[in-house]
Amino acid sequence: MSANGGTKAIVAALLANIGIAVTKFIAFLLSGSSSMLAEAVHSVADSGNQGLLLLGGKRAKRAATPEHPFGYGRERYIYAFIVSIVLFSIGGLFALYEAYHKWHHKGGIESWHWLPVVVLVSAIIMESFSFRTAIKESNHVRGNQSWVRFIRRAKAPELPVVLLEDFGALVGLVFALFGVTMTLITGNGEWDAAGTAMIGILLVVIAVVLAIETKSLLLGEGAEASELAAIERAVTDGPEVERIIHMKTLYLGPEELMVAAKIAVPAWESAQDLARGINAVEARIRAAVPIARVIYLEPDVYSAAAAEAGTGAAADTAVPQPQDTSGEPAGRPGG
């Protein structure tokens, strides 16, 4: 659902931004407003970003290869990170440069004085429909999370990226409208420069937030607390497993979770029985958390003595640590 919803939100934003970019460029050429130029470049950057998100989603669907045995799901994170760089450099830094240039030249709106206002109001209306689509699609997967938590914890990057872009676009349009209107009222081009600077600062802040959150996904995030609890219940909810010795999880992509665990099992009469037991545990995990598609379970025999000795495996089968002449494990200081 999140993938389909993300694509729908991206396409809606892309179509809106292409139309908005064209009208903003026309308004800039006719009026000379720096706010209009900054907003036009912002819309071009957003259009490119949405194209990158669509490309990342398509490339992530490629089948696994021997070189990439876990597939290409995390490629969506890479393209989302590139989006943050594009938004920062092309959108934010260009707007700040244009504001600096306009502030020193102090030129007002040269002609077609009220055209920028008409274009900005129309853009706000169009951008609102795009933002509404992003909110509607996000609500399908957001659940009871707050918007801040959803943006910070969502594993599929497309919806949070589009949400932040659309929000930034709406606020930026309000800033541009403020700068243009004050310039028309006062005849002072510094208001237009101030509106442009506000747009630049806004885009830089959004780009930094996107970069930080996407970097976390690129580094590798584990399952949510609710998913971990469901996996733990699935593992231990049967006679096949006595306890979990240790477990790690990792998102291989927005919709693919890897689970690796060492489990304590009772004594089985045959390897065939042990294999059937592990298969049953894997089936329960996938039923509890369907995105847990890659599962590695290592059976072992739990030993409290080994756990207290700190061997790490907490099992009778753990490889013993080498002893030095004092009888202490090598590498550990004596008492």
Side-chain angles (χ1 to χ4, degrees):
M1 183 185 294
S2 61
N4 293 335
T7 301
K8 184 176 180 180
I10 294 170
V11 171
L14 177 61
L15 294 176
N17 278 310
I18 290 175
I20 292 171
V22 172
T23 56
K24 287 177 181 175
F25 271 119
I26 293 174
F28 160 70
L29 293 173
L30 294 175
S31 66
S33 168
S34 66
S35 292
M36 292 306 306
L37 177 59
E39 274 297 307
V41 173
H42 176 194
S43 293
V44 170
D46 280 354
S47 299
N49 288 342
Q50 278 116 38
L52 286 171
L53 292 176
L54 290 172
L55 177 62
K58 182 178 180 180
R59 290 180 62 84
K61 294 178 181 178
R62 289 179 295 168
T65 63
E67 187 178 5
H68 297 92
F70 293 111
Y72 294 84
R74 294 175 76 176
E75 196 153 356
R76 288 164 69 179
Y77 301 151
I78 295 174
Y79 280 87
F81 188 77
I82 294 174
V83 163
S84 68
I85 297 174
V86 171
L87 194 63
F88 177 84
S89 58
I90 298 181
L93 295 186
F94 177 83
L96 291 174
Y97 166 78
E98 181 63 21
Y100 174 83
H101 176 78
K102 188 74 173 184
W103 185 270
H104 285 80
H105 286 77
K106 295 181 172 59
I109 296 177
E110 300 165 0
S111 59
W112 294 78
H113 297 85
W114 292 101
L115 177 62
V117 175
V118 175
V119 170
L120 288 171
V121 171
S122 301
I124 288 173
I125 295 172
M126 286 187 284
E127 198 68 61
S128 296
F129 282 107
S130 173
F131 191 38
R132 178 178 176 272
T133 300
I135 291 175
K136 182 179 178 181
E137 297 302 324
S138 297
N139 281 333
H140 291 316
V141 295
R142 183 170 65 96
N144 296 324
Q145 299 179 88
S146 66
W147 285 108
V148 173
R149 179 172 176 78
F150 172 70
I151 290 172
R152 294 198 60 186
R153 301 302 300 168
K155 306 303 181 185
E158 291 84 1
L159 285 173
V161 168
V162 174
L163 276 170
L164 285 175
E165 279 191 347
D166 285 352
F167 174 76
L170 276 174
V171 177
L173 287 167
V174 173
F175 288 163
L177 185 61
F178 168 77
V180 167
T181 302
M182 292 302 297
T183 298
L184 290 173
I185 293 173
T186 64
N188 188 348
E190 291 181 351
W191 287 106
D192 196 17
T196 306
M198 292 163 68
I199 294 170
I201 293 171
L202 172 70
L203 295 181
V204 167
V205 170
I206 290 176
V208 169
V209 171
L210 281 176
I212 292 173
E213 297 305 325
T214 311
K215 183 196 75 170
S216 177
L217 293 169
L218 279 171
L219 290 175
E221 290 188 357
E224 296 283 345
S226 59
E227 293 170 332
L228 279 174
I231 293 171
E232 289 172 357
R233 286 194 300 269
V235 171
T236 57
D237 189 21
E240 302 89 356
V241 177
E242 294 178 342
R243 65 186 298 164
I244 297 173
I245 298 173
H246 60 75
M247 181 174 70
K248 295 184 184 298
T249 61
L250 178 68
Y251 267 90
L252 302 175
E255 285 131 17
E256 187 172 23
L257 182 68
M258 181 175 71
V259 179
K262 174 168 279 195
I263 54 176
V265 298
W268 291 90
E269 293 184 0
S270 67
Q272 203 170 35
D273 291 336
L274 175 60
R276 278 196 292 265
I278 290 177
N279 289 337
V281 175
E282 290 181 354
R284 289 202 301 268
I285 293 174
R286 291 191 173 96
V289 182
I291 62 172
R293 299 175 184 173
V294 180
I295 302 173
Y296 297 108
L297 299 178
E298 179 184 354
D300 213 327
V301 180
Y302 182 78
S303 168
E308 292 176 2
T311 60
D316 284 329
T317 54
V319 177
Q321 292 182 322
Q323 304 288 314
D324 61 21
T325 55
S326 65
E328 291 288 340
R332 294 179 59 185

